[in-house]
């Protein structure tokens, strides 16, 4: 079993509430991430924010783009036409069709929140929020110091 | 509360835990039910979200009850050494003896030795798991008379044996086919344990030690001594500093006191066991039970047994932090709505800032 705190935090954010006591009885949130076991290890099914992202290449409306400043692949729901090309292109199966309006939903790193709620909720520090360049630098440093480091997806 | 990121509010509390949706009944878990799938999802053992919430609450209440049970048996052991059949403890002051004896329905002419023997003997009977089928315990019958505590008597919530009650609670927790309401009633019965044990221990200590009552307790009891002739709306604030940040409790207490205008009786209590005493005083003075007075308890406590115990005594409880029952519609309806006509009810403001408005709203409703 996995703790799933990140998933709940993400769902609460998509509903626009900050506390479980405020969850409305009706309506389901968009599931932008999910956690399952893969060969005995918890695996987070969420956007990996690839630098050369296949979904960006596949997007026909230009609603999927890589934003340098945020080091992430951002999806603009306003311009999305719901063609589903990105769904097929994503090697991580991280995009989810949103049946409520026939578009696609994905992790946008919650730019309005500062640190994403899923990272805040993660107590085991399995999820971290860092510039990709910085993360790679830290990883190299730790490797040189002889410590093993894992990032989700490694 | 421990200095942790969660305790300091830097990191959010566990959503599953605060909703009661995290089940650790077996060794394969913990199973966590998503609040968005609670109608359909089940734990590995097959328990529904409602059952998981109810069993979690029962486990929390039973744990607190078991702790108090141990405390009571330790106190009796100290008062009555097993080698001697008679008590070796001495009562410190006659005034105290008279006060306590009256509470237990014992005449004022009783000697200290005989009274302590009576208290310890009856408490031992209460603790014995085999005393279940015997006559109702005299101590409890005198401590919780029907007048001030009609709900307890109407629903047969007084146990004959405290230890059997814990056994029964734990066996219910393990049962596979049990109704959610059944477990919630068991929660209410088990919450009585905390009150009974703590009150017996406190009275025994009060009789046999020179320790004085805490200043705040004394003050609360003094207010109760001088109750006006006409019933007033009552707000009692209970908090344990270790449960919530001290600064928050101090600020909210100050604000609540400022907001309570007009004829409202305000009591600050540090020991939840003062509540049955308060209920008895209401009845003595006004011949009204607590639900008839409509007294409100603001409980800043993370102890579900305290909140449910106050409810069983007839108080309406504004509880913050909330009880971990939001994951089950049945549990929430039972404690926050269904009991309203019979006894008090539990209000659970989701945010700290909503506690005082909830109390004021309740008072307006009473008026």
């Amino acid at each position: 079993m996995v703790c799933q705190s990140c998933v709940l935090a993400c769902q609460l954010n998509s509903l626009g509430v900050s506390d479980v006591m405020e969850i409305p009885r009706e309506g389901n949130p968009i599931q932008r991430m999910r956690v399952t076991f893969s060969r005995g290890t918890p695996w987070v099914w969420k956007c990996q924010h690839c630098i050369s992202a296949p979904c960006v290449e596949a997007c026909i409306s230009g609603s999927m783009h890589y934003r340098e400043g945020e080091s992430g692949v951002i999806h603009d729901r306003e311009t999305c036409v719901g063609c589903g090309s990105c769904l097929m292109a994503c090697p991580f199966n991280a995009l989810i069709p949103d049946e409520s309006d026939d578009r696609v939903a994905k992790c946008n790193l919650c730019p309005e929140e500062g640190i994403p709620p899923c990272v805040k909720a993660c107590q085991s520090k399995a999820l971290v929020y860092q510039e990709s360049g910085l993360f790679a630098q830290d990883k190299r440093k730790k490797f040189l110091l002889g410590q093993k480091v894992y990032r989700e997806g490694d | 509360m421990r200095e942790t990121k969660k305790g300091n509010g830097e990191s959010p509390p566990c959503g599953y835990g605060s909703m009661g949706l995290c089940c650790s009944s077996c060794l394969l878990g913990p199973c966590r039910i998503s609040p968005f799938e609670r109608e359909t999802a089940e734990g590995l053992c097959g328990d529904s979200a409602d059952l998981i919430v109810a069993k979690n609450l029962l486990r929390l209440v039973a744990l607190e009850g078991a702790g108090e049970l141990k405390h009571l048996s330790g106190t009796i052991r100290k008062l009555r050494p097993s080698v001697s059949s008679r008590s070796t403890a001495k009562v410190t002051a006659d005034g105290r003896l008279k006060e306590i004896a009256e509470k237990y329905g014992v005449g004022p002419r009783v000697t200290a030795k005989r009274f302590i023997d009576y208290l310890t003997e009856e408490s031992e009977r209460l603790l014995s798991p085999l005393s279940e089928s015997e006559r109702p315990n005299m101590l409890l019958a005198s401590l919780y008379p029907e007048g001030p505590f009609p709900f307890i008597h109407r629903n047969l919530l007084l146990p004959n044996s405290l230890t059997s009650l814990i056994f029964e609670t734990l066996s219910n927790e393990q049962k596979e086919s049990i109704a959610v309401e059944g477990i919630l009633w068991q929660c209410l019965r088990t919450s009585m344990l905390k009150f009974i044990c703590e009150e017996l221990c406190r009275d025994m200590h009060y009789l046999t030690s020179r320790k004085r009552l805490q200043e705040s307790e004394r003050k609360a009891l003094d207010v109760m001594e001088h109750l006006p002739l006409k019933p007033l709306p009552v707000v009692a604030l209970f908090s344990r500093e270790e449960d919530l940040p001290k600064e928050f409790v101090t600020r909210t207490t100050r604000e609540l006191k400022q907001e309570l205008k007009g004829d409202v009786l305000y009591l600050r209590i540090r020991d939840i066991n003062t509540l049955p005493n308060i209920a008895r005083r209401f009845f003595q003075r006004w011949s009204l039970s607590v639900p008839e007075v409509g007294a409100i308890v603001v409980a800043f406590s993370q102890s579900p047994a305290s909140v449910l115990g106050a409810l069983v005594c007839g108080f309406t409880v504004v509880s913050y932090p909330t009880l971990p029952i939001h994951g089950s519609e049945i549990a929430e309806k039972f404690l926050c709505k269904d009991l309203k006509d019979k006894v008090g009810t539990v209000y659970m403001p989701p945010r700290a800032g909503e506690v005082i408005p909830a109390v004021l709203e309740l008072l307006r409703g009473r008026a």
Side-chain angles (χ1 to χ4, degrees), chain A residues 1-5 7-8 11-12 15 18-25 27-29 31 120-121 123 125, chain B residues 5-6 11-12 14-16 18-19 28-32 34-36 38 44 322 326 329 332 348 350-351:
Chain A
M1 281 289 155
V2 282
C3 118
Q4 307 263 15
S5 296
V7 177
L8 183 59
Q11 288 174 317
L12 293 183
L15 287 172
S18 56
D19 194 285
V20 285
M21 289 295 289
E22 296 163 28
I23 293 177
R25 288 280 175 205
N28 275 337
Q31 190 142 14
K120 274 191 217 165
Q123 294 296 307
K125 303 273 179 282
Chain B
K5 278 193 165 184
K6 271 191 186 175
S11 110
C14 172
Y16 299 96
S18 25
M19 291 185 93
L28 298 168
C31 291
R32 301 189 133 194
S34 166
F36 305 104
R38 61 187 150 188
L44 282 174
T322 58
H326 193 55
E329 224 167 307
E332 216 171 26
M348 303 192 297
R351 278 180 290 262

Side-chain angles (χ1 to χ4, degrees), chain B residues 172-308:
Chain B
N172 268 348
E173 207 262 321
Q174 286 299 316
K175 266 185 203 164
E176 280 176 14
S177 56
I178 185 162
V180 177
E181 278 93 349
I183 301 180
L184 295 169
W185 275 108
Q186 189 68 20
C187 288
L188 293 180
R189 287 193 77 200
T190 313
S191 70
M192 289 289 297
L193 254 182
K194 183 180 167 74
F195 277 53
I196 295 168
C197 293
E198 278 193 12
E199 192 155 20
L200 285 172
C201 284
R202 198 178 62 163
D203 288 346
M204 287 180 197
H205 282 302
Y206 185 58
L207 271 177
T208 54
S209 78
R210 290 188 187 281
K211 245 176 115 180
R212 292 169 65 183
L213 278 183
Q214 273 187 2
E215 184 67 13
S216 57
E217 290 306 303
R218 190 75 274 170
K219 268 187 192 168
L221 290 176
D222 281 348
V223 173
M224 298 306 295
E225 288 289 347
H226 303 101
L227 283 177
L229 282 173
K230 211 179 120 201
L232 284 179
V234 181
V235 175
L237 191 135
F238 164 67
S239 74
R240 291 199 326 172
E241 273 149 17
E242 57 269 36
D243 279 355
L244 284 169
K246 195 178 173 184
E247 191 192 314
F248 163 77
V249 175
T250 318
R251 182 168 38 85
T252 317
T253 309
R254 197 178 53 235
E255 285 171 11
L256 181 67
K257 237 177 143 177
Q258 282 168 0
E259 290 287 341
L260 294 177
K261 288 166 197 152
D263 284 340
V264 179
L265 192 68
Y266 171 77
L267 300 166
R268 175 81 170 88
I269 52 173
R270 295 211 186 265
D271 188 347
I272 197 78
N273 284 313
T274 320
L275 291 182
N277 261 341
I278 291 175
R280 286 178 209 118
R281 296 270 165 98
F282 285 160
F283 194 74
Q284 275 171 11
R285 186 71 172 166
W286 297 330
S287 300
L288 293 174
S289 65
V290 184
E292 287 166 332
V293 175
I296 301 163
V297 173
V298 183
F300 290 131
S301 164
Q302 298 205 351
S303 147
S306 300
V307 173
L308 296 183

Side-chain angles (χ1 to χ4, degrees), chain A residues 6-154:
Chain A
C6 51
V7 177
L8 183 59
C10 176
Q11 288 174 317
L12 293 183
N13 182 267
S14 83
L15 287 172
V17 297
S18 56
D19 194 285
V20 285
M21 289 295 289
E22 296 163 28
I23 293 177
R25 288 280 175 205
E26 302 298 320
N28 275 337
I30 307 163
Q31 190 142 14
R32 293 174 295 201
M33 67 191 297
R34 54 195 195 282
V35 187
T36 54
F37 270 101
S38 172
R39 292 183 200 155
T41 307
W43 170 258
V44 183
W45 297 90
K46 69 184 276 288
C47 179
Q48 304 295 308
H49 299 282
C50 316
I51 291 170
S52 44
C55 58
V56 176
E57 303 286 327
C59 182
I60 57 163
S61 61
S63 59
M64 207 66 93
H65 50 274
Y66 188 84
R67 204 175 280 168
E68 283 297 335
E70 285 161 17
S71 295
V73 177
I74 305 299
H75 175 234
D76 186 356
R77 281 175 71 87
E78 295 302 311
T79 53
C80 178
V81 292
C83 67
S85 311
C86 51
L87 286 173
M88 286 187 281
C90 178
F92 295 103
N93 197 15
L95 301 159
I96 290 122
D98 181 3
E99 280 157 18
S100 64
D101 60 357
D102 287 334
R103 290 179 202 177
V104 167
K106 75 174 276 299
C107 164
N108 265 359
L109 290 172
C110 297
E112 68 285 355
E113 293 289 329
I115 298 172
C118 56
V119 177
K120 274 191 217 165
C122 181
Q123 294 296 307
S124 62
K125 303 273 179 282
L127 291 179
V128 286
Y129 183 63
Q130 228 172 10
E131 289 281 327
S132 54
L134 268 178
F135 189 87
Q137 207 178 344
D138 276 359
K139 205 171 166 182
R140 278 196 294 271
K141 209 184 276 175
K142 281 182 184 167
F143 182 75
L144 287 173
L145 290 168
Q147 291 173 1
K148 276 189 173 178
V149 283
Y150 297 96
R151 188 186 179 181
E152 42 180 271
D154 279 357

